[in-house]
Amino acid sequence: MGDIGQQEEGQLRGRSPLQQSSIEDRCIISIVVGTDSLAIETRGLTKRYPSGVLALNSLTMTVRKGEIFGFLGPNGAGKTTTIRLLLDLIRPTGGQALVFGLDCQRRSQEVRERVGYLPGELNLYQNTHGRRLLEMFGSLRQGQVPWDYVHGLCQRLKVDLETPVGHMSHGNRQKVGLTLALMARPDLLILDEPTTGLDPLVQRQVMEVLREASAQGATVFFSSHVLPEVEQICDRVGFIRQGRLIAVEEVTSLHRRRLQRLTISFATTIPADAFASLPGVRLLQGTDRMVQLEVTGDIDPVVKVAARYPIASLDTERPTLEEEFLAYYRGEGLEARP
Amino acid sequence: MIDPLLRKSLTDLRVQMVGWGLGVGGLLFLTVLLYPSISSAYGDVWEQFPKEWMAFFGAGSLNTLEGYLNMEFFSYAPLALSVFAILAGTAALMGEEGQGTLDLLLAQPVGRARLALMKLLGLALANGVIVAIILALFWAAMLFTDAEVAAGRILMAFALLWPFETAVAFISVLLSLALSGRLFAGSLVAIILTASYILDSLANLISGLEPLRPLYPTAYYQGSRALVGDISWGYTAGMLGAMGVALALSILLFQRRDIGVRAALPFPRLRKGKREAV
C-alpha cells in the first residue's frame, strides 16, 4: 500500500502546482498515501463557537511524517483553532482530527505523549524558575525525558534556568517554551507562531533547532503569518483563510511565484512602456522617472531592463501575506473575497 | 511519591495557606489571651445583654471559654475563611485558564480528570493546613491561660471548619467552570454565604425562618453547636454530600469544556463579554 501510495503521489507531483494543491487532490493524497505515513490528518474538521463564529470550516488536510509543514494564514484565519483541536484543548463541532492515526479527542492523552507544543501566546508560571519548570513538565512525561539532551539543548540555546519567568525577556521565555516543547524529543512538534516577537538571532536559532528535529525524524507543524519564514524551512505550506484551507503548496512552487514590489527611481526619463512587455510584471504607479512594479516570479528580467537606464534608487518591498496570497490565485478561479 | 500536579497545586497555595493560617490563627491567639480578663471583667455584663442580641450571634454562656470562642471567633471564622476558599476555588482551574498556563499543562500527557482532581485535592489539603495552623495557635495561646476547656468540643468545632471550607472551595470551582469566569462565580458564592449567614442568625430570633434552615449553606457548619450544644449530623452529612457532588460535577464540566485562549488578567476580571478560544 505504501509503495502504491508513493507511486501515485509521484504522479500527482507531475501536475502543475495549482492542480496539485486543489482540495480534491489533497483528498486523493490522503487516501492513497495511507494513514501509516501521516503525522496529521483532518477530515472535515469544523469548529463553530457558541457565539456562532465559524472559526474552522471543514478542514481536510494531511501532514506527512517527517516533513516540516507550514500552516500559513493571516491573523484570525483559524491556525490556532486547528492546533488547539489537534491538542484536544477545544472540541470540534464537526469532522475528525487524527495524529499518527489516533483520534485527537478519544485518544488525546496518547496523542499528547507524542507531541511537543509551543503555544502562540506562551504563558508560563511567573514565579517559577526555568529549571523548576523543566523539572515539573518533565515529571509529567513519566520517564520519557532524556535529560542529557535537555541539558545540551539548554546550553546551546543559552536558556536562562535561574531567573523566574516573570523577570525574563520575551526571547528568553520563548527559549524556555521551545525547550519544553522539545524536551521529550516528540515525534510531532506543533508550534504556534514560534518566532513572533523574537529578535533575528533567536529566530535563526529556533529555525536551526526545528531543522535538526526534522532531520532526526520528527514532524514539524508550525503556524505562521510570515511567508519568508515559512519558505526558509518548510517542505510544504498550507494556506488557511477565514477558516478554510485554500491550498497546499510545495515550497519550491512558492518560490516560482514569489511576489515582490519594486520601486525604481531613474536619473533620466524612461519610456512609459519600458516594462510593459515583461511577463509577470504589473505596473502599479509610474512617472517618467519612477516606476512601482509588482513582480510575480523571477525578478531578473526586470533588473535587466532597469539596468538599461541610470538608476537613482531601487527599493524592494515584500507584500503582506494576504496580498501575496491573492496574487498567487488571481485569475485561478478561487474566490478572492468571501 | 506525591503527584507532580498535586505538588504544584500545593506550591501555588503555600503563601496563602500560611498567610490565612497565621492571620486568622493570630486573631484567635489574641482572642484567647484576652479571655481571662474579659471573662472576669465583663462576664456578668454579657448576661445582661438583650437575649435577642445574644441569640443573633448564637452565643451561649460567656462565662465558659467555649461560649466565648463561639461568639468571638467561630461566629465569623467560617465566613472569613470562606474568602480564601472562594478565591482559591475560583482560581484553581479558571484562574489558570485566565493566565493561559492551562494550555501548556494540558498539552502534556495529562488527563483532564486527573488535573481537576489534583487541583481539588490541593484545595482540600490547603484548607486542612489552614485549620491545622489555626488550631496550633489556639493551643499555643492556651499555654498562657489557665482557663478550662472542653477539648473534645473545641477540636470538633475546628475539625468541622475543614469540610465546610472545602465544600465552599469546591462549589466555587464548580460555579467558576459553569459560569466561565471567576468574578461572577466568586461574587455569587460570597453573596449567598453572606445572605445565608444573616438569615441563619435571624432564624435564632424569628421562628418563621427556622424551618428554612436546610436552605442556608452556613447552617451546615455545625461548629457552634459542637461548642455549645449538639451537632446535627444530618447537616454534616449534607455538607459532605455537597462536597462530593461539587467535586464530581467540577471534573465533569472541566472534561467537557473548551479551554479558552486568554491574556493574563488579574482577579477580578473586568473585561466585558465572554472571550472565546480562537
Side-chain angles (χ1 to χ4, degrees):
Chain A
M1 175 65 194
D3 290 344
I4 296 167
Q6 283 163 12
Q7 195 180 355
E8 291 191 36
E9 195 183 355
Q11 288 168 0
L12 285 168
R13 278 193 179 140
R15 300 163 76 175
S16 76
L18 192 64
Q19 283 174 317
Q20 189 176 327
S21 64
S22 72
I23 288 170
E24 290 79 7
D25 283 358
R26 269 181 279 114
C27 293
I28 292 167
I29 289 169
S30 156
I31 294 162
V32 298
V33 168
T35 53
D36 284 356
S37 61
L38 297 179
I40 298 173
E41 183 181 12
T42 65
R43 300 169 185 159
L45 194 63
T46 302
K47 179 63 183 177
R48 185 185 287 279
Y49 289 111
S51 61
V53 173
L54 185 61
L56 202 62
N57 188 359
S58 197
L59 177 77
T60 298
M61 176 183 75
T62 57
V63 176
R64 296 187 285 259
K65 280 182 187 170
E67 77 174 330
I68 304 182
F69 189 94
F71 200 43
L72 208 58
N75 292 329
K79 305 185 296 290
T80 301
T81 297
T82 305
I83 287 174
R84 295 172 71 75
L85 284 165
L86 292 173
L87 291 164
D88 194 35
L89 294 172
I90 56 175
R91 274 55 193 269
T93 46
Q96 188 185 25
L98 304 168
V99 168
F100 298 116
L102 302 169
D103 187 285
C104 290
Q105 270 67 54
R106 276 178 287 185
R107 299 175 71 180
S108 72
Q109 202 167 324
E110 289 169 77
V111 167
R112 284 177 281 133
E113 277 173 14
R114 300 181 67 178
V115 172
Y117 170 54
L118 179 66
E121 193 179 318
L122 178 64
N123 292 297
L124 300 166
Y125 298 105
Q126 295 291 300
N127 298 322
T128 311
H129 295 208
R131 185 180 303 282
R132 183 74 199 93
L133 272 175
L134 291 177
E135 286 168 2
M136 189 200 127
F137 281 94
S139 67
L140 298 174
R141 292 271 175 183
Q142 295 173 339
Q144 281 184 358
V145 178
W147 288 106
D148 289 346
Y149 166 74
V150 176
H151 290 142
L153 192 64
C154 289
Q155 282 178 348
R156 221 180 108 203
L157 289 174
K158 297 190 176 70
V159 179
D160 181 355
L161 296 174
E162 307 306 331
T163 305
V165 168
H167 297 162
M168 283 183 186
S169 66
H170 175 71
N172 281 332
R173 272 204 304 273
Q174 200 75 351
K175 285 181 191 176
V176 172
L178 189 65
T179 310
L180 289 172
L182 287 160
M183 69 188 303
R185 306 193 87 160
D187 297 325
L188 172 63
L189 269 168
I190 297 180
L191 313 165
D192 193 1
E193 308 206 2
T195 58
T196 303
L198 295 180
D199 64 57
L201 192 66
V202 183
Q203 276 186 26
R204 201 159 56 222
Q205 283 179 327
V206 171
M207 290 302 166
E208 273 173 27
V209 169
L210 297 187
R211 271 195 206 98
E212 278 179 20
S214 172
Q216 288 160 9
T219 307
V220 180
F221 179 86
F222 84 95
S223 76
S224 177
H225 60 270
V226 185
L227 187 56
E229 171 182 278
V230 171
E231 285 177 332
Q232 274 178 38
I233 188 171
C234 290
D235 303 312
R236 286 196 306 152
V237 177
F239 287 92
I240 187 169
R241 188 164 173 266
Q242 292 180 336
R244 294 186 73 94
L245 185 72
I246 306 297
V248 178
E249 294 272 10
E250 300 284 340
V251 164
T252 47
S253 76
L254 288 183
H255 287 305
R256 280 200 296 275
R257 290 194 284 161
R258 168 184 281 181
L259 184 74
Q260 289 179 85
R261 199 169 287 148
L262 274 79
T263 305
I264 311 171
S265 298
F266 297 93
T268 59
T269 56
I270 60 162
D273 58 350
F275 298 91
S277 60
L278 294 175
V281 175
R282 198 157 69 100
L283 182 68
L284 299 177
Q285 278 184 52
T287 65
D288 57 351
R289 284 172 181 259
M290 185 277 289
V291 287
Q292 190 179 44
L293 308 167
E294 195 176 80
V295 184
T296 306
D298 195 0
I299 199 172
D300 186 59
V302 179
V303 174
K304 280 180 176 153
V305 170
R308 292 176 196 158
Y309 312 98
I311 297 173
S313 69
L314 190 151
D315 292 315
T316 60
E317 181 194 340
R318 197 75 195 245
T320 63
L321 177 64
E322 188 85 348
E323 288 171 316
E324 292 212 48
F325 174 79
L326 290 175
Y328 288 149
Y329 299 105
R330 190 180 289 132
E332 299 282 6
L334 285 169
E335 281 182 52
R337 299 268 171 227
Chain B
M1 191 179 138
I2 188 168
D3 188 292
L5 293 172
L6 178 59
R7 189 167 57 225
K8 174 77 179 107
S9 297
L10 291 172
T11 307
D12 290 345
L13 291 168
R14 67 189 186 281
V15 175
Q16 296 171 63
M17 279 191 279
V18 174
W20 279 90
L22 290 179
V24 176
L27 275 175
L28 177 61
F29 186 88
L30 291 174
T31 305
V32 172
L33 288 185
L34 289 172
Y35 172 67
S37 54
I38 287 179
S39 174
S40 61
Y42 300 107
D44 295 336
V45 177
W46 287 118
E47 298 296 333
Q48 291 164 27
F49 268 64
K51 283 185 181 171
E52 291 79 8
W53 192 87
M54 299 290 278
F56 185 84
F57 289 102
S61 169
L62 288 166
N63 287 321
T64 66
L65 180 60
E66 293 79 35
Y68 171 75
L69 285 178
N70 186 31
M71 183 166 169
E72 294 295 320
F73 179 74
F74 286 100
S75 61
Y76 72 85
L79 217 54
L81 290 173
S82 292
V83 176
F84 162 77
I86 292 168
L87 290 173
T90 55
L93 291 167
M94 287 307 295
E96 279 231 19
E97 187 176 323
Q99 288 163 6
T101 48
L102 209 51
D103 261 31
L104 207 54
L105 204 53
L106 285 175
Q108 311 305 314
V110 172
R112 285 200 193 189
R114 177 183 157 203
L115 175 61
L117 189 63
M118 290 305 135
K119 286 281 183 188
L120 289 158
L121 191 55
L123 288 172
L125 289 174
N127 278 313
V129 169
I130 290 172
V131 173
I133 292 173
I134 297 169
L135 182 61
L137 285 168
F138 168 77
W139 287 117
M142 287 301 292
L143 297 174
F144 299 96
T145 67
D146 53 2
E148 288 184 11
V149 62
R153 285 180 178 274
I154 290 283
L155 280 173
M156 185 55 76
F158 276 108
L160 288 172
L161 275 175
W162 176 80
F164 180 76
E165 300 306 341
T166 303
V168 172
F170 285 8
I171 289 166
S172 301
V173 174
L174 176 63
L175 285 179
S176 68
L177 288 169
L179 301 170
S180 286
R182 294 184 64 196
L183 178 60
F184 187 36
S187 305
L188 191 63
V189 178
I191 289 167
I192 289 171
L193 283 178
T194 307
S196 162
Y197 174 78
I198 294 167
L199 290 169
D200 190 26
S201 301
L202 286 174
N204 293 329
L205 303 171
I206 304 166
S207 59
L209 291 173
E210 172 65 27
L212 299 174
R213 245 200 181 116
L215 299 177
Y216 312 144
T218 48
Y220 288 79
Y221 173 65
Q222 291 285 303
S224 291
R225 290 183 180 273
L227 286 170
V228 294
D230 292 319
I231 295 172
S232 164
W233 292 106
Y235 278 100
T236 306
M239 186 166 58
L240 292 171
M243 193 197 299
V245 169
L247 177 116
L249 287 178
S250 297
I251 291 172
L252 191 69
L253 273 185
F254 185 61
Q255 281 183 303
R256 295 171 66 137
R257 71 177 282 107
D258 280 353
I259 305 299
V261 175
R262 288 154 196 257
L265 287 170
F267 181 85
R269 188 160 66 85
L270 296 173
R271 192 174 292 178
K272 284 183 181 174
K274 191 190 288 184
R275 285 182 296 164
E276 292 172 332
V278 291

